[in-house]
């Protein structure tokens, strides 16, 4: 068996919740706790987005190391690693698009290039990018690198679309509709399953990003202005409940 979960409906629901959690929790640390969106931002000499990235990036590195060393698939370890990648992706994307000043279009294009480069390098090295091959250290490292790039891309892409006239709900409809089209393609066509998986995996991130922003952004900006920490705790509880209640089995090897 591989060390990643089988791709089921429960997998996709948990993934969307995890990406939404990553947005709200990343914003909780970088914006609420480190004050990156307050009047005192930058006065301490520290960049909240960069500090948040260091915190979540360090946690991600530790969890990936544990994941690679594990002898078999462990659901809680896997989803903890996914959550670390999506929170790190949130703060890293915000740092790139806001602090570095490359903007949402520039950040999205750069990160899309990194995702495609990671997939191309993985395929060139191992001959496949299917999750069914993720059972050896080299494939696992490519897997987690690609995921981290895709999580970061999703934040920048979601912010870019939501920042326009569509707003958060309009952006959620766009990304949700795109995922529905991929589902139709999966069930009604013979389109490449590996390509469909990665396309869907990437698109769940901007969907989660705009939903997370809708929950915690000010009402004047089209959000509900809920507590970021409270939203994160509710989402985290829902993820734990799904992992506990929904059968989690490892994906069979290729």
């Amino acid at each position: 068996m591989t060390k990643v979960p089988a791709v089921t409906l429960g997998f996709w629901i948990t993934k969307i919740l995890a990406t939404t959690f990553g947005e709200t929790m990343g914003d909780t640390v970088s914006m609420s706790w480190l004050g990156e969106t307050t009047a005192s931002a930058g006065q301490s000499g520290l960049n909240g987005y960069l500090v948040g990235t260091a915190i979540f990036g360090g946690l991600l590195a530790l969890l990936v190391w544990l994941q690679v060393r594990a002898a078999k698939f462990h659901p809680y370890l896997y989803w903890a690693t996914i959550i670390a990648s999506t929170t790190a992706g949130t703060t890293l994307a915000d740092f790139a698009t806001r602090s570095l000043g490359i903007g949402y279009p520039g950040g999205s294009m750069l990160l899309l290039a990194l995702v495609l480069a990671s997939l191309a390098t993985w395929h060139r090295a191992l001959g496949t990018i299917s999750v069914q091959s993720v059972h050896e250290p080299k494939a696992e490292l490519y897997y987690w690198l690609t995921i981290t790039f895709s999580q970061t891309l999703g934040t920048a892409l979601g912010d870019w679309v939501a920042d326009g006239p569509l707003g958060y709900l309009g952006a959620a409809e766009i990304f949700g509709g795109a995922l529905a089209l991929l589902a139709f393609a999966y069930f009604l066509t013979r389109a490449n399953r590996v390509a469909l998986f990665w396309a869907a995996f990437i698109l769940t991130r901007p969907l989660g990003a705009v939903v997370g922003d809708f929950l915690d952004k000010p009402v004047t900006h089209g959000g509900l202005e809920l507590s970021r920490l409270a939203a994160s705790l509710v989402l985290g509880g829902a993820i734990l409940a799904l992992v506990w209640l929904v059968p989690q089995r490892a994906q069979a090897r290729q």
Side-chain angles (χ1 to χ4, degrees), residues 123-181:
H123 190 275
R124 188 180 304 113
L126 301 179
T128 179
I129 55 174
S130 170
V131 295
Q132 294 177 329
S133 68
V134 184
H135 54 79
E136 58 176 311
K138 184 178 289 188
E140 286 186 86
L141 291 175
Y142 280 121
Y143 177 82
W144 289 111
L145 180 64
T146 303
I147 282 179
T148 302
F149 283 148
S150 74
Q151 307 282 39
T152 310
L153 165 64
T155 297
L157 183 59
D159 288 345
W160 184 14
V161 176
D163 195 49
L166 293 174
Y168 301 121
L169 292 181
E173 291 175 358
I174 292 294
F175 295 121
L179 284 169
L181 289 176

Side-chain angles (χ1 to χ4, degrees), residues 59-72:
L59 178 61
L60 173 61
L62 173 62
L63 289 171
V64 168
W65 179 74
L66 292 173
Q67 179 79 13
V68 172
R69 285 182 58 85
K72 61 180 182 179

Side-chain angles (χ1 to χ4, degrees), residues 34 36 40-51:
L34 297 175
E36 198 55 42
S40 60
Q43 293 182 6
S44 64
L46 297 175
N47 183 290
Y49 298 128
L50 191 58
V51 174

Side-chain angles (χ1 to χ4, degrees), residues 1-7 11 67 72-75 78-79 82 122 130-135 139-140 143-144 147 197 248-252:
M1 307 299 288
T2 67
K3 287 193 281 182
V4 297
V7 181
F11 169 86
Q67 179 79 13
K72 61 180 182 179
F73 169 63
H74 296 283
Y78 174 85
W79 287 111
I82 286 288
W122 181 3
S130 170
V131 295
Q132 294 177 329
S133 68
V134 184
H135 54 79
E140 286 186 86
Y143 177 82
W144 289 111
I147 282 179
F197 169 83
Q248 300 277 321
R249 67 179 189 276
Q251 174 69 51

Side-chain angles (χ1 to χ4, degrees), residues 31-32 34-42:
M31 297 180 183
S32 298
L34 297 175
E36 198 55 42
T37 55
T38 65
S40 60

